[in-house]
Amino acid sequence: MSRVVTTYHQRVAQEKRALIVTAATALFLELGYDRTSLAQIAERSGVSRATLFKQFPSKAALFDAIVSESWATADEEEPPPAGNLVDGLRTIGRRYAELLSQPRMTDLFRIVIAELPRFPELAHAQFSHGKMPYFESVRGYLLAEHEAGTARVEDVELAATQFLGMISNYVFWPTLLVPGWEVSAERVAQVVDEAVRTIAARYAATGPDTSTTD
């Protein structure tokens, strides 16, 4: 019985955490980070102040949670194994495009950009806890391909930047900056495949088959 009770309390705590993060994100967008109080977040999320403070003792801790939630999918997925540069890049590219297409990612960047002049620590949190760990996983994958002999990548940091940049420049940044901008799933797949072709053409150790057939 105790295990059942423990599981129930854990589930309730997770549900309340999700409500708090969602409410905080909405209020930070509506009112700004500075003008949003923890009391307002508790009211919007429908939890008591004691519950909120137990999980998030400060707004900074709550913003870190927003970052973690935004990049959560990336943290759960391991980089593909080395051995086939094209297949590996395609897997990474599709995951990245899907991640960037989530509304919570757009919300996160809008909060950071809006509050950057007064709260640069938010940008540091987003970079160090979200974007950089993901970038390091891609860099590590390219390094593994280099060490396996399937790619010649002397500057893995540059190669990772090139690959991710080709995808985000089409899939993410216009959506962030242009109201109503939409990219079809077919177009996203094409963008990813073209990025894969470009990187494979530049870095593959041999001439791989860069067709888009799954």
Side-chain angles (χ1 to χ4, degrees):
M1 179 64 71
S2 60
R3 180 178 300 177
V4 174
V5 173
T6 300
T7 301
Y8 169 77
H9 286 305
Q10 290 175 341
R11 178 171 58 81
V12 170
Q14 291 172 352
E15 291 173 351
K16 289 183 177 180
R17 176 186 175 88
L19 289 172
I20 293 169
V21 170
T22 299
T25 302
L27 285 168
F28 289 161
L29 287 168
E30 292 172 18
L31 306 178
Y33 180 82
D34 187 35
R35 293 189 297 275
T36 299
S37 68
L38 289 176
Q40 289 171 311
I41 295 170
E43 181 179 0
R44 174 71 67 91
S45 61
V47 305
S48 68
R49 296 187 186 185
T51 296
L52 187 147
F53 282 111
K54 182 178 180 180
Q55 295 211 29
F56 305 106
S58 68
K59 280 199 296 184
L62 187 43
F63 184 79
D64 285 345
I66 293 175
V67 172
S68 298
E69 292 292 331
S70 299
W71 292 90
T73 303
D75 292 337
E76 296 168 359
E77 295 175 332
E78 292 293 330
N84 188 316
L85 182 63
V86 170
D87 285 350
L89 287 174
R90 187 175 292 128
T91 296
I92 291 172
R94 289 176 177 176
R95 288 176 180 175
Y96 190 54
E98 182 178 357
L99 181 67
L100 294 181
S101 299
Q102 300 298 316
R104 61 188 179 186
M105 186 62 72
T106 306
D107 291 343
L108 172 62
F109 272 82
R110 285 178 175 156
I111 294 170
V112 169
I113 292 170
E115 301 293 352
L116 183 59
R118 291 180 299 170
F119 299 97
E121 63 271 19
L122 300 185
H124 289 300
Q126 144 72 346
F127 188 79
S128 61
H129 300 314
K131 183 175 178 60
M132 198 60 192
Y134 184 84
F135 179 85
E136 283 298 316
S137 71
V138 178
R139 191 188 71 83
Y141 165 75
L142 289 171
L143 180 60
E145 292 286 11
H146 177 80
E147 293 175 343
T150 47
R152 298 189 183 94
V153 190
E154 298 299 332
D155 190 337
V156 290
E157 182 173 330
L158 177 60
T161 300
Q162 291 169 335
F163 181 58
L164 298 178
M166 281 188 284
I167 297 171
S168 63
N169 281 348
Y170 197 99
V171 173
F172 179 72
W173 290 107
T175 303
L176 179 71
L177 300 173
V178 181
W181 181 278
E182 294 183 2
V183 183
S184 68
E186 294 76 12
R187 186 61 169 168
V188 170
Q190 181 185 6
V191 169
V192 171
D193 287 335
E194 289 299 326
V196 171
R197 284 194 179 97
T198 301
I199 295 298
R202 171 64 178 85
Y203 295 109
T206 59
D209 175 9
T210 58
S211 65
T212 60
T213 302
D214 291 333

